[in-house]
Amino acid sequence: MFAAERRQLILEMVRANGAVSLRELARVVQTSEVTVRRDVRALEAEGLLDRRHGGAVLPGGFTRESGFPQKSHLATAEKTAIADLAASLVEEGEAIVVGAGTTTQELARRLARVPGLTVVTNSLLVAQALAHANRVEVVMTGGTLRGTNYALVGSGAEQSLQGLRVSRAFLSGSGLTAERGLSTSNMLSASVDRALVQAAAEVVVLADHTKLGSDTMFQTVPTDVITRLVTDQPPAGDDRAATELQALADQGVQVAVAGNSEPGGGGGESSVPSGRGRRRDVPLPGQRRNGGPGAPQLRSAGALAESSAGSAERAQARVADLRRR
């Protein structure tokens, strides 16, 4: 393929998806990441796109949101590795919330094997992944369906989460920086994600390396509220992504890096030293529930909130702190 043909294809992919990793571009145009990086640099010089950490985005500073069909084909190997590692954090009998996104959908597929689990979600795709899981209770929020990512949003979703208390929230987004934390391109999605955070004692962000350093319009989780980041290993030479990971760790975020992001790779974990000296070999505390056998049940979040009185003192303190923010 000639350089002009490669660059035209790269440009079409970025215009269709909003943001594409160098690794994915190299795979599609069947060349090396070094060559793709050179092509992206040339296209940026013409003002046709902007370079970002390990990828390319539409020009203009802020990336726009891609639809689910486009997102589902991006960084698939990285999302698999991240989901494997994130699932290892979840304990039997725990109650958690899981936000919308392609990475959280991958996580949900693995959570189907955790007995006694209760999952609260606003994502139809997460619920679908767990629909036939044995001994997993699925609790869906109310709200208005947003078709681009198959998520329930709006005041109905936010109100159904009021009074809810769970141990952990698993969220993804469109961008993650040490300065602003997690962000997304849609105001309604951001508002629901904030409500999910308020319901949880701890926040775990799932983000592949292409999102590191990307900044989108609406902040969902400030950096100082993020407990842990689960990500993949940035490609060799992506110094900016590595710098962003270190900056997040310096602000107290526990960074867990999937040891092998290639297809068929193992699920090992490495970590980035934290400026606050937090340990990473201690699992996050879970909220135990007595799960019984049988098919999963779909209930409203309001019904679960009524039955979850007497939650852990730590969770209440965390939620109070979040609301003061």
Side-chain angles (χ1 to χ4, degrees), residues 1-23:
M1 186 180 296
F2 294 110
E5 295 175 311
R6 280 199 318 271
R7 293 172 186 177
Q8 181 61 34
L9 182 55
I10 290 170
L11 190 58
E12 290 174 359
M13 288 184 64
V14 173
R15 286 173 175 171
N17 299 305
V20 187
S21 69
L22 292 178
R23 186 177 299 171

Side-chain angles (χ1 to χ4, degrees), residues 3-317:
E5 295 175 311
R6 280 199 318 271
R7 293 172 186 177
Q8 181 61 34
L9 182 55
I10 290 170
L11 190 58
E12 290 174 359
M13 288 184 64
V14 173
R15 286 173 175 171
N17 299 305
V20 187
S21 69
L22 292 178
R23 186 177 299 171
E24 184 70 11
L25 290 172
R27 185 187 67 81
V28 172
V29 301
Q30 298 182 343
T31 188
S32 68
E33 289 188 31
V34 173
T35 300
V36 167
R37 188 177 288 109
R38 186 164 56 245
D39 290 337
V40 168
R41 190 177 293 115
L43 290 168
E44 182 184 44
E46 297 178 35
L48 298 175
L49 51 75
D50 289 342
R51 284 185 296 163
R52 285 294 181 269
H53 299 200
V57 302
L58 290 173
F62 292 102
T63 60
R64 72 169 175 83
E65 184 178 35
S66 304
F68 175 79
Q70 291 81 21
K71 288 181 180 180
S72 62
H73 296 294
L74 297 177
T76 54
E78 291 88 342
K79 292 173 184 176
T80 297
I82 291 169
D84 286 339
L85 184 52
S88 70
L89 303 175
V90 181
E91 302 177 6
E92 179 179 343
E94 195 172 352
I96 62 175
V97 295
V98 179
T102 53
T103 309
T104 52
Q105 182 189 23
E106 286 295 322
L107 170 64
R109 290 176 176 140
R110 287 148 183 81
L111 296 180
R113 300 189 291 268
V114 182
L117 189 65
T118 298
V119 178
V120 182
T121 185
N122 69 319
S123 169
L124 299 186
L125 297 174
V126 168
Q128 182 184 44
L130 294 167
H132 300 290
N134 186 36
R135 297 181 60 193
V136 175
E137 184 178 23
V138 181
V139 181
M140 295 207 67
T141 70
T144 303
L145 177 63
R146 185 165 179 264
T148 54
N149 63 347
Y150 301 93
L152 298 172
V153 298
S155 60
E158 296 170 40
Q159 291 172 9
S160 68
L161 292 164
Q162 292 180 2
L164 185 68
R165 298 293 182 271
V166 298
S167 60
R168 245 174 299 197
F170 290 87
L171 299 175
S172 61
S174 302
L176 178 65
T177 65
E179 181 181 359
R180 288 187 73 216
L182 190 67
S183 61
T184 187
S185 304
N186 182 266
M187 181 173 62
L188 293 175
S189 296
S191 187
V192 174
D193 281 353
R194 285 192 287 268
L196 291 172
V197 167
Q198 289 179 359
E202 297 181 338
V203 178
V204 180
V205 170
L206 312 182
D208 65 75
H209 71 273
T210 64
K211 297 177 182 178
L212 296 175
S214 294
D215 199 3
T216 50
M217 290 184 67
F218 300 99
Q219 183 191 57
T220 57
V221 190
T223 304
D224 61 350
V225 177
I226 300 172
T227 307
R228 185 187 294 257
L229 165 65
V230 183
T231 186
D232 65 292
Q233 184 68 46
D238 193 352
D239 295 334
R240 296 175 66 184
T243 300
E244 197 72 43
L245 284 178
Q246 186 62 61
L248 288 162
D250 289 343
Q251 295 196 36
V253 178
Q254 302 178 46
V255 179
V257 180
N260 187 345
S261 62
E262 295 301 322
E269 174 183 356
S270 59
S271 62
V272 177
S274 170
R276 297 184 188 174
R278 293 185 179 180
R279 292 183 54 171
R280 285 171 183 72
D281 55 345
V282 179
L284 296 176
Q287 181 183 27
R288 293 289 181 178
R289 290 174 58 90
N290 295 322
Q297 305 174 30
L298 291 174
R299 301 191 311 178
S300 68
L304 180 67
E306 293 176 1
S307 67
S308 62
S311 59
E313 181 178 351
R314 183 181 178 193
Q316 292 176 342

